[in-house]
């Protein structure tokens, strides 16, 4: 977090530097910068961001001799930050009067919906595709699936998104071109009402984001299932007289999904990155859009806030992966 | 006694990139009801492929059963459809495998792995099959059977896992149990326990057993008849006492000599059969054992000897009568000359 904090401040330019006619009067800029404590030294900015203005102030009241305290004492009473540890991500610098918490609270559920659906799409299409390819090893079906997998991995969503829009939205008119089909309030904070409108809007972006997942998951499932089918315990199961379907579903599939689950962690990370592009291409009001614009705007509190949420998301995703892993493979719990 | 299994001229080959592996080359034998037959031979001689072919368990491709008949219960198993054969597998013919570490599914409880065959073949419901599974585990000597039903294979030791495998094999009261080197992967003391266990269970349940091993020493106590395989051929078959007292194939003799014996002096123990088994990719028409044989004569290099009756219930495939004292003396002289 400290890295992000200092790296973004190292970028040239600040949130209130405008060019040409748009530039603000010096007095206005100074005022704005003071409000967001940009006149403080970087370490004091960090303290106030993490612990809150009042903590920074209290420290400086007690020991005013610490370097930079003069500015802190000057401005902390007008402060806006209650500190990340108290769940306050601060004020947006470029969206007047709006808190980061408010912006993220609005946009994060949308991103989460998109991301979860993309992962679901990847799993629901990738696992069956990989399974079929493995069972029909070296047939036309297998080759077609492999070709599709390579295609899915090599076409970036920056290209796939517009292509999908052009074919299915503009030419065929099946789906809306852009925007998102669900508004808050959401059930449990992120589950939207399953309306037709929602799914129509979601279809193209979810496909654009999820197809690369389908491809990786299908490839891995195929390889892993082929390996599992050659294992001794599958022979044991065959020797019991089990039908092919039971053999695959009960004995082979679960074992072959263990490696698939391990790549879900990295895949979630790729979904996060992919969602920046996809939200941008489809004009979806998600967090990715804010992430990109905030970097361009040098909106420090927004960058930190969004980054923090993404980091938290990845940590949680990896925890879920670990839980799934332990559920799939009983050996994990005991080793 | 009534025949339970009759194998006729079974041939199995693997079609690999390097060529055709002649794993099993036309073997014929019978197993009577309730009889224990041991199949013995070095590893790679086609023992596993031979028995797995009986219920078509070899991977196809690359494997293929190219010829033969397997008569069991009045039908030729090789001609059954896959569905018909499934009713035989695990039900009338059960199989247990060499490595209990890898032969049980790591993600299913052993209870599930035992009950699934019961549900499939005997149409039991969950409750009945679990009850039966507990009985089976008790029968094979697993302590606290009931509480261990929901344990996973990794929670058992090697010997205990092999007991689980045996319980699984016996679950549907098979008429024939095929045990493919069930003790090879285990410690010596555990090996003896497993052998005893199977011998006792056989007494109790009366099924026939095909017991595969590469160690003639294990066979003595439990088998009635011994089949010796070499390079995919049966090269000798005899009642168990005949194998020990009157072996008629030089390879059998070699195997017997390689059993560690306490009654012989230190130097005389453990004489392995010198040399390597032949390449199964390319089997010329000669006795496959000739290159390693101390008794080999010219004819051995020109023609593969067929199995011939050499005594009551005793067949061997050798051009030379190694029970003849003169032959033995000549072979010994040859060996000494070579050593000198
Ligand atoms: N899947 C396979 N592909 C190719 N060759 C095989 C395969 N399985 C077994 N073989 C060959 O068949 C021969 C007999 O093997 P096997 O029956 O397993 O020997 P063992 O007597 O040790 O049980 C060996 O030479 C082995 O290399
Ligand atoms: Mg074997």
């Amino acid at each position: 977090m400290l890295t992000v904090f200092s790296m973004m401040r190292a970028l040239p330019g600040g949130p209130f530097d405008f060019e040409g006619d748009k530039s603000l009067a010096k007095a206005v800029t100074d005022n704005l910068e003071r409000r967001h404590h940009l006149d403080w030294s970087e370490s004091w900015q960090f303290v106030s961001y993490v612990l809150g203005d009042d903590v920074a102030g209290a420290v400086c009241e007690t020991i005013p001799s610490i370097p930079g305290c003069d500015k802190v004492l000057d401005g902390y009473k007008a402060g806006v930050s209650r500190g990340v540890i108290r769940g306050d991500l601060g004020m947006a610098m470029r969206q007047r009067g709006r808190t980061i918490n408010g912006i993220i609270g609005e946009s994060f559920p949308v991103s989460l919906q998109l991301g979860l659906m993309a992962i679901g799409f990847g799993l629901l299409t990738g696992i069956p595709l990989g399974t079929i390819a493995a069972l029909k090893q070296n047939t036309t079906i297998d080759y077609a699936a492999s070709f599709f997998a390579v295609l899915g991995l090599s076409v970036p969503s920056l290209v796939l998104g517009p292509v999908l829009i052009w074919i299915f939205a503009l030419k065929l008119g099946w789906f809306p071109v852009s925007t998102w089909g669900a508004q808050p309030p959401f059930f449990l904070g992120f589950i939207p009402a399953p309306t037709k409108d929602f799914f129509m809007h979601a279809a193209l972006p979810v496909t654009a984001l999820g197809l690369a997942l389908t491809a990786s998951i299908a490839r891995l499932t195929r390889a892993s299932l082929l390996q599992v089918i050659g294992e001794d315990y599958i022979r044991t199961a065959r020797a019991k007289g089990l039908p092919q379907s039971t053999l695959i579903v009960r004995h082979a599939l679960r074992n072959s999904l263990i490696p698939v689950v391990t790549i879900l962690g990295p895949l979630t990370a790729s979904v996060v990155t992919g969602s920046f592009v996809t939200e941008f291409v489809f004009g979806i009001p998600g967090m990715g859009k804010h992430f990109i614009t905030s970097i361009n705007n040098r909106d420090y509190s927004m960058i930190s806030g969004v980054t923090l949420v993404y980091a938290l998301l990845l940590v949680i995703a990896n925890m879920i992966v670990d839980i799934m892993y332990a559920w799939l493979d009983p050996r994990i719990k005991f080793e | 006694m009534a025949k339970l299994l009759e194998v006729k001229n079974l041939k199995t080959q693997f079609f690999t990139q390097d060529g055709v592996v002649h794993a099993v080359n036309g073997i014929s034998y019978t197993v009577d009801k309730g009889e224990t037959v041991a199949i013995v031979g070095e590893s790679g001689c086609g023992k596993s492929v031979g028995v797995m072919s009986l219920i078509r368990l070899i991977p196809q491709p690359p494997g293929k059963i190219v010829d033969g008949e397997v008569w069991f219960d009045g039908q030729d198993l090789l001609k059954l459809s896959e569905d018909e054969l499934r009713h035989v597998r695990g039900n009338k013919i059960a199989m247990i495998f060499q490595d209990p570490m890898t032969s049980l599914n790591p993600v299913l409880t052993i209870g599930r792995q035992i009950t699934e065959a019961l549900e499939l073949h005997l149409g039991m419901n969950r409750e009945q099959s679990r009850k039966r599974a507990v009985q089976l585990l008790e029968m094979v000597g697993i302590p606290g059977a009931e509480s261990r039903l929901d344990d996973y294979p990794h929670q058992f030791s090697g010997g205990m896992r092999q007991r689980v495998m045996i319980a699984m094999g016996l679950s549907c009261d098979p008429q024939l149990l095929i045990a493919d080197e069930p003790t090879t992967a285990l410690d010596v003391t555990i090996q003896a326990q497993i052998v005893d266990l199977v011998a006792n269970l056989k007494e109790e349940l009366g099924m026939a057993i095909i017991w595969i091993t590469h160690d003639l020493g294990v066979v003595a106590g439990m088998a009635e008849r011994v089949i010796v395989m070499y390079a995919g051929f049966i090269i000798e078959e005899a009642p168990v006492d005949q194998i020990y007292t009157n072996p008629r194939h030089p390879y059998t003799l070699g195997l017997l000599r390689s059993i560690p014996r306490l009654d012989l002096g230190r130097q005389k123990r453990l004489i392995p059969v010198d040399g390597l088994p032949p390449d199964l990719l390319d089997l010329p028409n000669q006795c496959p054992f000739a290159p390693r044989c101390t008794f080999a004569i010219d004819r051995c290099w020109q023609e593969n000897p067929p199995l011939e009756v050499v005594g009551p219930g005793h067949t061997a495939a050798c051009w030379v009568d190694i029970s003849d004292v003169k032959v033995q003396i000549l072979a010994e002289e040859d060996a000494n000359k070579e050593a000198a």
Side-chain angles (χ1 to χ4, degrees):
Chain A
M1 194 161 107
L2 186 57
T3 323
V4 174
F5 201 82
S6 42
M7 266 171 44
M8 64 187 182
R9 279 172 171 73
L11 285 173
F16 307 113
D17 300 346
F18 295 96
E19 293 192 354
D21 335 333
K22 285 201 204 150
S23 64
L24 299 172
K26 176 96 175 72
V28 178
T29 317
D30 280 351
N31 204 9
L32 279 170
E33 288 193 345
R34 249 206 311 285
R35 184 169 150 73
H36 292 282
H37 305 322
L38 291 178
D39 54 337
W40 293 11
S41 71
E42 219 169 89
S43 22
W44 279 115
Q45 285 184 39
F46 188 68
V47 171
S48 117
Y49 181 68
V50 177
L51 302 174
D53 285 331
D54 48 351
V55 174
V59 172
C60 281
E61 296 275 16
T62 336
I63 321 168
S65 56
I66 303 174
C69 263
D70 44 344
K71 298 264 190 202
V72 175
L73 289 173
D74 246 10
Y76 82 91
K77 287 220 175 80
V80 284
S81 166
R82 292 178 55 241
V84 171
I85 56 160
R86 278 176 281 184
D88 180 12
L89 295 172
M91 296 292 289
M93 296 182 181
R94 289 288 295 273
Q95 300 188 30
R96 185 175 292 256
R98 298 205 56 191
T99 60
I100 303 292
N101 288 29
I103 294 171
I104 289 178
E106 212 168 72
S107 58
F108 177 67
V110 171
S111 289
L112 194 64
Q113 287 159 14
L114 175 65
L116 285 180
M117 281 198 293
I119 292 175
F121 176 88
L123 288 172
L124 289 180
T125 54
I127 292 173
L129 203 66
T131 306
I132 292 169
L135 295 183
K136 305 275 176 200
Q137 193 193 358
N138 299 336
T139 62
T140 325
I141 300 175
D142 182 21
Y143 294 136
S146 300
F147 174 75
F148 170 79
V150 172
L151 202 71
L153 280 177
S154 48
V155 178
S157 45
L158 188 59
V159 177
L160 187 60
V163 169
L164 288 178
I165 293 178
W166 184 67
I167 298 177
F168 294 104
L170 297 178
K171 288 283 159 198
L172 298 172
W174 292 353
F175 300 104
V177 176
S178 71
T179 71
W180 198 240
Q183 265 100 37
F186 297 120
F187 179 60
L188 288 182
F190 73 98
I191 300 171
T195 60
K196 179 163 177 268
D197 193 46
F198 171 71
F199 287 113
M200 292 306 268
H201 276 87
L204 293 185
V206 165
T207 311
L209 188 55
L211 219 53
L213 296 189
T214 305
S216 342
I217 291 172
R219 264 189 3 170
L220 192 64
T221 306
R222 176 183 182 274
S224 142
L225 190 57
L226 281 179
Q227 197 227 324
V228 166
I229 284 176
E231 296 282 347
D232 285 352
Y233 54 80
I234 297 297
R235 186 181 59 193
T236 309
R238 283 221 302 143
K240 278 185 216 170
L242 296 173
Q244 180 77 3
S245 52
T246 315
L247 223 56
I248 298 300
V249 175
R250 191 184 297 157
H251 285 267
L253 212 50
R254 188 155 158 203
N255 279 291
S256 70
L257 287 185
I258 293 171
V260 175
V261 166
T262 29
I263 63 154
L264 277 186
L267 281 184
T268 310
S270 80
V271 166
V272 167
T273 352
S275 72
F276 301 160
V277 175
T278 309
E279 288 178 11
F280 179 75
V281 169
F282 287 90
I284 296 167
M287 216 166 67
K289 205 187 80 185
H290 290 298
F291 187 63
I292 292 178
T293 48
S294 67
I295 291 178
N296 287 333
N297 288 342
R298 304 283 186 275
D299 189 335
Y300 297 145
S301 48
M302 182 82 106
I303 301 175
S304 315
V306 172
T307 309
L308 214 62
V309 172
Y310 278 133
L312 203 66
L313 182 74
L314 289 181
V315 170
I316 292 173
N318 278 309
M319 265 161 55
I320 294 174
V321 165
D322 283 347
I323 292 169
M324 281 167 72
Y325 199 56
W327 173 73
L328 274 179
D329 189 348
R331 284 165 295 189
I332 301 292
K333 287 164 208 152
F334 300 91
E335 272 165 16
Chain B
M1 246 217 248
K3 267 184 210 159
L4 177 67
L5 175 78
E6 181 167 18
V7 181
K8 289 184 182 165
N9 193 34
L10 181 67
K11 269 190 196 150
T12 304
Q13 300 174 346
F14 290 93
F15 296 83
T16 66
Q17 285 174 341
D18 303 330
V20 180
V21 179
H22 300 260
V24 174
N25 301 306
I27 60 175
S28 305
Y29 59 94
T30 60
V31 178
D32 288 340
K33 287 207 166 89
E35 186 187 26
T36 303
V37 174
I39 299 180
V40 188
E42 285 167 299
S43 72
C45 71
K47 306 181 297 292
S48 298
V49 173
V51 290
M52 286 200 288
S53 300
L54 302 181
I55 46 174
R56 303 208 309 247
L57 268 190
I58 52 163
Q60 294 173 295
K64 187 162 188 259
I65 299 167
V66 292
D67 198 8
E69 294 166 21
V70 176
W71 289 91
F72 178 86
D73 225 9
Q75 41 191 0
D76 181 358
L77 299 185
L78 298 185
K79 297 225 164 56
L80 294 185
S81 73
E82 186 68 18
D83 273 345
E84 289 167 325
L85 188 59
R86 284 202 298 101
H87 294 295
V88 177
R89 286 187 193 142
N91 188 15
K92 293 176 187 156
I93 300 181
M95 196 157 172
I96 54 184
F97 298 93
Q98 175 170 343
D99 193 347
M101 297 294 171
T102 58
S103 295
L104 288 168
N105 192 329
V107 305
L108 295 177
T109 63
I110 59 141
R112 188 73 195 109
Q113 295 187 60
I114 296 174
T115 54
E116 62 181 353
L118 296 168
E119 287 167 15
L120 180 75
H121 296 300
L122 307 183
M124 291 186 177
N125 62 28
R126 268 289 159 98
E127 202 182 319
Q128 293 168 322
S129 62
R130 278 180 73 91
K131 229 188 221 160
R132 169 91 175 122
V134 173
Q135 282 173 3
L136 285 162
L137 289 179
E138 277 167 359
M139 193 172 79
V140 297
I142 290 187
E146 187 146 20
S147 63
R148 306 228 56 184
L149 217 48
D150 294 317
D151 282 353
Y152 290 92
H154 70 271
Q155 293 163 281
F156 291 81
S157 67
M160 284 296 153
R161 274 188 233 191
Q162 197 57 289
R163 285 170 192 262
V164 171
M165 284 292 290
I166 294 169
M168 248 163 62
L170 297 178
S171 60
C172 297
D173 264 325
Q175 291 167 278
L176 175 63
L177 178 72
I178 300 170
D180 186 357
E181 303 202 34
T183 61
T184 306
L186 305 173
D187 295 343
V188 181
T189 45
I190 315 260
Q191 279 185 18
Q193 289 172 10
I194 297 285
V195 171
D196 284 348
L197 172 69
V198 175
N200 290 338
L201 287 171
K202 186 218 154 91
E203 200 97 311
E204 219 172 286
L205 306 171
M207 72 276 181
I209 297 177
I210 296 179
W211 184 283
I212 295 181
T213 173
H214 63 241
D215 180 2
L216 253 183
V218 174
V219 169
M222 67 177 311
E224 282 130 45
R225 224 143 33 84
V226 178
I227 291 170
V228 184
M229 280 186 76
Y230 188 79
F233 296 96
I234 290 179
I235 49 100
E236 181 159 10
E237 177 181 337
V240 68
D241 56 322
Q242 285 294 305
I243 282 287
Y244 286 100
T245 57
N246 185 23
R248 294 295 296 269
H249 195 286
Y251 177 63
T252 315
L253 192 65
L255 285 180
L256 281 169
R257 284 183 174 161
S258 71
I259 304 171
R261 282 177 58 176
L262 299 173
D263 56 333
L264 292 181
R266 212 164 232 285
Q267 324 88 316
K268 280 233 166 172
R269 282 160 62 186
L270 269 177
I271 310 167
V273 187
D274 285 333
L276 290 172
D279 182 4
L280 296 178
L281 282 169
D282 172 36
L283 286 172
N285 185 19
Q286 63 176 43
C287 172
F289 188 61
R292 302 166 74 181
C293 185
T294 45
F295 298 91
I297 57 173
D298 286 351
R299 194 170 184 192
C300 304
W301 296 94
Q302 285 145 15
E303 217 178 324
N304 192 1
L307 266 181
E308 267 168 16
V309 176
V310 293
H314 193 163
T315 53
C318 185
W319 293 124
V320 182
D321 179 2
I322 64 163
S323 64
D324 189 330
V325 179
K326 270 181 284 179
V327 171
Q328 288 174 6
I329 292 172
L330 282 176
E332 197 135 313
E333 274 175 10
D334 272 0
N336 288 343
K337 239 184 278 168
E338 229 155 83

